[in-house]
Amino acid sequence: MAQNNQKPQTIQQKREKDYREHVEQVTPKYSLPRQMIKAFVVGGIICLLGQCILNYATNKMGLDKETAGSWCSMLLVLASVLLTGFNLYPKLVEWGGGGALVPITGFANSIASAAIEYQKEGQVFGIGCKIFTIAGPVILFGIVTSWGLGLVYWIGTVLGIV
């Protein structure tokens, strides 16, 4: 009986070893400094584009800062959705990593990609029900966090700390 207990363990150990080796082979190797530089460059270019839009809107078009900011947000969302629709934004995310997920463009990409993915299931049960599958948790935790921080701020003002 003792031999029967040892045999399955060695088979299990061999399977685990084979699995670890397989995972090691198929797991992509990334250079953290290189990925950080790529993320910095992509995020910087997106932010530079936003700043150029703001400067153009305020200086050349004569818009106030609030209106220029609204135009900047709309144009960045539009660009992100168009790039997602032409399947270019996922390639940008693959190359630039977290830098391409700058909040407004990454958020627009997450909503547009879900809408594109589920459009074949119909307007209501596809797009309508599943459009916020990725963005929903971000919205939820953003609201909960802002509410919690607002409560902390309010308590701080009541107590005279803030």
Side-chain angles (χ1 to χ4, degrees):
M1 287 225 128
Q3 288 178 353
N4 288 344
N5 287 342
Q6 287 180 347
K7 234 180 187 181
Q9 288 178 349
T10 57
I11 292 172
Q12 181 68 22
Q13 289 171 349
K14 183 179 177 347
R15 283 183 181 167
E16 288 177 6
K17 181 183 174 210
D18 290 345
Y19 177 74
R20 275 187 256 118
E21 288 174 0
H22 175 71
V23 168
E24 187 70 29
Q25 288 174 354
V26 298
T27 302
K29 309 286 187 274
Y30 291 109
S31 167
L32 183 61
R34 180 180 288 152
Q35 284 302 110
M36 290 171 63
I37 290 169
K38 287 180 178 180
F40 180 79
V41 168
V42 171
I45 289 171
I46 292 171
C47 292
L48 177 68
L49 178 63
Q51 190 62 51
C52 289
I53 293 169
L54 279 174
N55 290 348
Y56 184 81
T58 53
N59 297 334
K60 302 289 183 184
M61 296 176 66
L63 299 175
D64 61 295
K65 286 186 178 185
E66 187 175 324
T67 307
S70 297
W71 275 99
C72 177
S73 297
M74 286 188 297
L75 290 174
L76 287 175
V77 166
L78 176 65
S80 176
V81 169
L82 288 174
L83 289 173
T84 301
F86 290 118
N87 202 27
L88 296 173
Y89 204 88
K91 293 174 184 169
L92 182 66
V93 170
E94 185 178 323
W95 189 84
L101 300 176
V102 174
I104 195 161
T105 55
F107 192 72
N109 171 55
S110 71
I111 293 174
S113 62
I116 291 167
E117 182 178 349
Y118 294 114
Q119 73 180 351
K120 60 184 169 270
E121 295 179 26
Q123 295 289 320
V124 176
F125 293 112
I127 296 173
C129 291
K130 298 179 180 174
I131 194 166
F132 291 111
T133 55
I134 297 172
V138 174
I139 295 169
L140 173 69
F141 289 114
I143 290 171
V144 170
T145 302
S146 62
W147 182 84
L149 291 174
L151 183 63
V152 169
Y153 180 77
W154 178 75
I155 291 170
T157 55
V158 169
L159 296 176
I161 299 171
V162 178

